[in-house]
Amino acid sequence: MRSTFAGFTSAQLALRSSQYGLNVTGQNISNINTSGYTRQVVDQVSLNLKNSGRYANGTTVGHGVLVTGISQVRDPYLDIRFRNEISKVGEADVKLAGLEEIESILDEIAKDGVQTQLNDLVSMLQKLSTNVSSKEFENMVKSSADSLTKYLNQCAKQLETIRENQEYNLTQVDIPEVNNILSSITELNKSIKNGQINGNPGLELIDQRNVLIDKLASYMKIDVKYVPTKISDNLTIDELRIDFIGANNTINLLDHTNHVKFDVTDGTTKLNILDKDGNPIKDADGNVIGEDIFSELTSGSLKGSLELLNSSGAFDGKTNSFKGIGYYQNMLDVFANKIASVFNGINNAGLPAGTPPEDLHDMFGSSDGEPISAKNICIASGWANSEYGLTASVTTDGSTPSSGANDNILRMIEALQGKQSFVFEGTLPDASDDLTLFTGSFNEFISNMNSTLGIDIKSTSTLLDNYVSVAKEIANAKDSISGVSLDDEGMNLLRYQKSYAAAARLMTTLDEALDTVINKMGVVGR
């Protein structure tokens, strides 16, 4: 049978269990507004000794309640889903921000852009066509053409600024942040392990670690595992392992207290994963898999940044390549080169074949001597300095044009308004790798480029909204399980308060019963 004083032990354990419950409830309430905090609960079991003694009978009562620890309420499946979704959010968010920056430069609706400059040039040429001998009207054409070149220069410069800002953000902000997250998680792992060895579950440190893991998941797709590690016969601790999930390879980023380092090769946008010795990560067969991992990225803000910097749509030779900054830089370069070659050809039509380059009457040239692009296009120095003018008319027999003839000016107007073939020249001499981008007028080329940008922004914005919506649903589901609810904690307060009072009353009742046995039994007749 039970010991006479066993009831006191049960009451004392009940008091302790209720006290733990009140303490944990207070901890939950005090952290209701703490970001990343996970609701804690008391783990307890009914206590019943395995060996109750040699004379125990079948009616042995248990020995109360035993608090086995304090744990967090989490759903690992929701953690996995949230991290996968937040990775997609990170990628779409970076892409949308980059595309909107490009739109602010190339916007033809909210401000006067390239099309406005083209229309002005057409207008000036039309005025000149009726006054071909007027230097004043030719200067108006020259001024309009100069404005067009300066606007293209400005667009090219602003696109280059966006590229520089993206590169700075990648190399000086994102990559150091990823490395700092991995380092912080490693330090937390050490603290958590040391605490758990000494009996402290380190739940608050685990919360901090989970916040960092979620942040890391926004940069790339990761897989998080907890590997049970035996410390002693009576203690097993879960050690954290984080892997990067690539398109073709899986790379271990962190193995409890060891982690890799992300690095961008100087002067490039090549992202590498390095080991502790600073060498690219290799697989089990010794093959390098941690060098230039752009193609391995499947989602995350790092992928979004690198696609903005490295992907140029059709210029990459891939039909499904993302149209990043390089696409719009190349498109403007093709446009600038085309308008220069067409107008230079028309203005040089009256010169004999084989005229040396320095004697040509070009309308457009390059400010730095390089092939003409949006960055360097300018009014040709000869025309700018009035060393020669526009060729108003060209005769088929090489004779002097009649006074007032304007056929060549009309050709310029027709060239601006007519269809052109915009070709990106490849590197092969036989032009077999040349890429025809568009066929249409100069205005239509700009409209098509802006339509492409608008479609990409719309589709990326829609994707981002969808990803954010799903991520919010998962976050709400996580909060319903792991978050602190004042209603629930209020009920817990009442529950533990009443159980504490009941345990105290049990202690008093047992004391009164024992007093009766000791002080009142066997005193009749004294």
Side-chain angles (χ1 to χ4, degrees):
M1 62 182 293
R2 278 182 95 194
S3 165
T4 303
F5 295 97
F8 288 98
T9 301
S10 296
Q12 183 264 337
L13 290 175
L15 284 170
R16 180 178 295 178
S17 174
S18 299
Q19 183 64 58
Y20 269 114
L22 288 171
N23 292 341
V24 170
T25 301
Q27 172 75 350
N28 289 338
I29 292 173
S30 63
N31 284 281
I32 189 171
N33 295 317
T34 302
S35 177
Y37 179 79
T38 303
R39 180 165 60 94
Q40 299 177 4
V41 294
V42 177
D43 299 325
Q44 58 186 45
V45 295
S46 177
L47 180 61
N48 195 339
L49 300 182
K50 295 180 180 179
N51 299 314
S52 300
R54 135 184 244 182
Y55 301 106
N57 56 41
T59 58
T60 300
V61 180
H63 292 76
V65 63
L66 179 66
V67 174
T68 58
I70 301 172
S71 61
Q72 296 176 322
V73 181
R74 296 187 72 91
D75 186 336
Y77 175 65
L78 289 178
D79 285 339
I80 294 172
R81 288 188 59 201
F82 178 78
R83 288 162 185 161
N84 287 339
E85 208 62 36
I86 205 67
S87 178
K88 299 175 185 177
V89 171
E91 177 189 351
D93 186 47
V94 169
K95 285 183 177 178
L96 181 60
L99 291 174
E100 287 177 341
E101 279 192 90
I102 296 173
E103 183 187 38
S104 68
I105 296 171
L106 303 179
D107 191 359
E108 294 286 325
I109 298 176
K111 63 180 182 179
D112 294 339
V114 177
Q115 290 178 305
T116 301
Q117 301 295 331
L118 288 172
N119 293 336
D120 182 69
L121 182 57
V122 170
S123 176
M124 294 302 104
L125 285 169
Q126 288 173 337
K127 291 179 180 180
L128 177 63
S129 68
T130 59
N131 299 273
V132 292
S133 60
S134 171
K135 289 294 181 182
E136 179 182 353
F137 282 98
E138 181 174 336
N139 287 335
M140 291 170 64
V141 173
K142 188 187 300 183
S143 175
S144 179
D146 187 51
S147 296
L148 174 61
T149 61
K150 283 182 168 57
Y151 189 82
L152 289 172
N153 296 159
Q154 177 186 340
C155 289
K157 183 178 180 180
Q158 289 176 322
L159 286 174
E160 188 60 33
T161 299
I162 292 178
R163 176 177 291 279
E164 291 171 357
N165 291 340
Q166 287 289 338
E167 289 178 355
Y168 178 86
N169 188 69
L170 175 68
T171 59
Q172 305 300 320
V173 179
D174 287 347
I175 299 305
E177 177 65 13
V178 170
N179 289 330
N180 183 58
I181 289 173
L182 291 172
S183 178
S184 297
I185 292 176
T186 298
E187 293 303 316
L188 285 171
N189 285 341
K190 294 176 182 177
S191 299
I192 292 169
K193 182 176 181 179
N194 291 336
Q196 290 177 343
I197 289 174
N198 294 314
N200 178 7
L203 301 183
E204 287 71 27
L205 295 179
I206 292 176
D207 283 337
Q208 294 178 35
R209 185 175 68 181
N210 282 322
V211 169
L212 291 174
I213 293 174
D214 290 345
K215 186 179 292 187
L216 180 64
S218 69
Y219 289 98
M220 69 200 82
K221 185 176 181 179
I222 59 174
D223 180 44
V224 179
K225 297 178 181 177
Y226 297 93
V227 182
T229 302
K230 186 176 181 180
I231 304 300
S232 67
D233 291 340
N234 300 319
L235 180 62
T236 299
I237 292 177
D238 289 337
E239 293 191 343
L240 177 66
R241 178 187 173 92
I242 301 178
D243 292 332
F244 161 65
I245 306 300
N248 303 300
N249 296 290
T250 297
I251 300 176
N252 178 243
L253 301 181
L254 184 146
D255 192 2
H256 198 61
T257 57
N258 299 307
H259 65 86
V260 301
K261 179 182 179 182
F262 283 78
D263 177 71
V264 176
T265 305
D266 290 341
T268 71
T269 54
K270 291 184 178 180
L271 180 60
N272 309 308
I273 301 180
L274 309 179
D275 59 22
K276 61 181 180 180
D277 297 321
N279 300 315
I281 293 292
K282 297 180 180 180
D283 61 14
D285 298 324
N287 301 312
V288 175
I289 58 175
E291 189 173 38
D292 193 9
I293 64 166
F294 173 49
S295 60
E296 288 288 337
L297 292 165
T298 57
S299 60
S301 61
L302 290 182
K303 181 188 178 186
S305 295
L306 287 171
E307 286 206 322
L308 279 171
L309 291 169
N310 297 338
S311 297
S312 302
F315 297 96
D316 294 334
K318 303 174 183 176
T319 56
N320 60 345
S321 179
F322 177 75
K323 300 177 183 68
I325 300 170
Y327 174 81
Y328 296 97
Q329 288 179 314
N330 287 331
M331 290 291 280
L332 286 180
D333 288 345
V334 169
F335 175 86
N337 190 276
K338 186 65 179 180
I339 201 168
S341 63
V342 168
F343 276 81
N344 288 347
I346 295 174
N347 205 52
N348 287 316
L351 298 178
T355 301
E358 62 271 16
D359 295 332
L360 293 175
H361 292 179
D362 288 343
M363 290 178 63
F364 298 98
S366 166
S367 61
D368 55 11
E370 297 294 324
I372 293 177
S373 65
K375 182 179 180 180
N376 62 23
I377 189 173
C378 64
I379 298 299
S381 59
W383 186 34
N385 298 327
S386 299
E387 296 173 8
Y388 54 81
L390 294 179
T391 304
S393 178
V394 176
T395 58
T396 56
D397 58 3
S399 60
T400 302
S402 60
S403 177
N406 63 358
D407 54 278
N408 215 44
I409 302 299
L410 295 178
R411 288 191 190 94
M412 293 181 185
I413 296 173
E414 183 182 357
L416 273 175
Q417 296 178 331
K419 291 186 180 299
Q420 304 286 343
S421 181
F422 295 85
V423 178
F424 177 71
E425 296 181 359
T427 58
L428 299 178
D430 61 356
S432 60
D433 61 341
D434 286 0
L435 176 66
T436 301
L437 298 168
F438 183 76
T439 300
S441 68
F442 287 101
N443 263 311
E444 289 170 345
F445 178 88
I446 297 298
S447 294
N448 178 71
M449 183 177 67
N450 278 275
S451 296
T452 300
L453 178 58
I455 291 171
D456 284 350
I457 289 176
K458 177 64 176 176
S459 61
T460 305
S461 177
T462 301
L463 280 175
L464 178 60
D465 290 342
N466 291 339
Y467 293 149
V468 169
S469 177
V470 174
K472 283 184 177 179
E473 284 185 19
I474 299 172
N476 290 336
K478 285 179 62 180
D479 286 342
S480 67
I481 296 173
S482 303
V484 177
S485 166
L486 281 181
D487 292 338
D488 290 343
E489 300 307 323
M491 293 174 61
N492 287 339
L493 277 179
L494 291 174
R495 181 157 60 96
Y496 288 124
Q497 179 189 25
K498 290 186 177 296
S499 66
Y500 190 93
R505 182 58 189 166
L506 173 61
M507 183 75 77
T508 301
T509 301
L510 291 172
D511 181 61
E512 291 174 353
L514 194 58
D515 178 66
T516 299
V517 171
I518 295 174
N519 297 317
K520 295 180 181 179
M521 285 180 64
V523 296
V524 178
R526 288 184 183 177

